[in-house]
Amino acid sequence: RLASVSKQFTAAAILLLEQEGKLKVEDAICTYLDNCPAAWQPVTIHHLLSHTSGIPNYFDATPGKAYQLTRTGATPDQIVALFRDLPLAFTPGASYEWSNSNFVLAGLIIERAAGQPYADFVKQSLLDPSGMLHSGYGDPSEAMALGYASSWEKEPMPFAVSALYAAGGLYSTAEDLFQWHEALFRYQLLDESQVQKMLTAYTTNEVGNHLGYGFLMNKIAGQTWAGNGGMFDGYAARLVRYLDNQITVVLLSNQDGEIFTIAEEIDKLFLQ
């Protein structure tokens, strides 16, 4: 399971729909959402993708209810109900706050603009054209690695991925994720201008990484990287592209830790 690495795909799906003329990132989200609260009227798709909407992360605002959904499963409407009536943390565009809620709403916008379920659009428009034969949304029919809280646990962690929806619901393999970056950065899915929108620094987070659409960006050993990581109960993932020399580094784990330390060592081996 990819957890927040899924956000790369959700952002790319939005930009593909823009490329097809079905939406614009400057559009107000309420154009595409039913029962849109008044507080969301100034929020645009751009604000969602850059985490500058001010819409609270439902795992922070309602942690007990949110984590319960990771055991029982949820529909997108059930997720949205957790944060629909909460006040914005700040005026849209005025600040930054990482929020799964942003990408849940982006998934619903994809469904409205594409006229088909999120899972189907992502598979048909991004995964299949990239040659990602072992990737998808939800639960694969076979071969899913069971997730464990640590190396000494004997029982896998229960996890209903629908609680993350478009913010973290994809699964994949290392080989498929390499194919994804090859297709994306060779402009086989999106044209160059759309990929550059993903890689534009719209804001900066608390540790100094720049935020694009579905990507973080920074430099290590003088090399520019773009990518992100994800972690949830029993799973962790990291997918980074070193843009100057076109190297992709993929780490996947069925434990929810340690790979980010391993990633630092890999970076040193390749780049220092």
Side-chain angles (χ1 to χ4, degrees):
R1 298 197 186 281
L2 299 185
S4 278
V5 171
S6 304
K7 291 179 172 65
Q8 290 186 27
F9 296 86
T10 299
I14 288 281
L15 290 172
L16 181 58
L17 288 166
E18 182 177 60
Q19 185 170 290
E20 294 173 348
K22 296 179 178 177
L23 56 73
K24 294 181 180 179
V25 294
E26 296 85 5
D27 290 344
I29 65 172
C30 290
T31 304
Y32 304 93
L33 300 175
D34 296 328
N35 302 316
C36 204
W40 296 359
Q41 297 296 322
V43 178
T44 66
I45 297 172
H46 162 78
H47 293 137
L48 298 182
L49 299 184
S50 59
H51 293 288
T52 57
S53 70
I55 297 174
N57 180 15
Y58 61 101
F59 277 98
D60 294 333
T62 57
K65 293 179 180 178
Y67 278 95
Q68 182 61 34
L69 295 182
T70 70
R71 304 299 181 254
T72 62
T75 65
D77 286 344
Q78 287 174 319
I79 299 172
V80 174
L82 297 182
F83 61 87
R84 181 191 300 278
D85 297 327
L86 298 177
L88 298 184
F90 50 82
T91 300
S95 187
Y96 151 82
E97 184 175 287
W98 190 94
S99 175
N100 280 308
S101 305
N102 290 321
F103 277 74
V104 168
L105 295 177
L108 290 172
I109 290 169
I110 290 166
E111 294 197 353
R112 177 63 63 86
Q116 64 184 134
Y118 168 83
D120 294 345
F121 182 77
V122 168
K123 177 172 172 52
Q124 294 170 16
S125 300
L126 299 178
L127 305 184
D128 289 350
S130 301
M132 300 174 69
L133 304 180
H134 306 288
S135 304
Y137 171 83
D139 295 312
S141 57
E142 59 183 356
M144 170 64 77
L146 299 176
Y148 295 85
S150 67
S151 59
W152 55 84
E153 293 289 342
K154 295 187 181 344
E155 295 296 324
M157 296 285 289
F159 186 59
V161 74
S162 59
L164 296 178
Y165 181 47
L170 296 182
Y171 63 86
S172 191
T173 66
E175 294 86 352
D176 274 12
L177 290 174
F178 173 76
Q179 289 293 111
W180 159 245
H181 268 192
E182 288 295 288
L184 181 67
F185 289 108
R186 296 183 189 280
Y187 311 126
Q188 296 169 5
L189 304 167
L190 299 171
D191 62 34
E192 184 173 359
S193 65
Q194 294 300 85
V195 173
Q196 288 307 310
K197 286 183 181 180
M198 298 185 78
L199 301 177
T200 297
Y202 300 107
T203 187
T204 303
N205 69 11
E206 58 276 2
V207 296
N209 292 328
H210 306 298
L211 273 84
Y213 291 164
F215 280 99
L216 303 173
M217 288 89 64
N218 214 324
K219 286 192 175 185
I220 182 171
Q223 298 287 323
T224 302
W225 61 263
N228 70 332
M231 186 170 68
F232 214 85
D233 291 352
Y235 298 94
R238 182 178 182 264
L239 176 61
V240 169
R241 182 81 162 188
Y242 291 94
L243 301 176
D244 300 326
N245 49 19
Q246 299 296 294
I247 292 175
T248 289
V249 180
V250 185
L251 289 112
L252 302 173
S253 174
N254 61 335
Q255 298 175 32
D256 55 355
E258 297 301 322
I259 70 161
F260 301 104
T261 300
I262 296 170
E264 292 177 2
E265 296 303 313
I266 290 177
D267 292 340
K268 292 176 184 176
L269 288 171
F270 276 97
L271 301 173
Q272 297 182 0

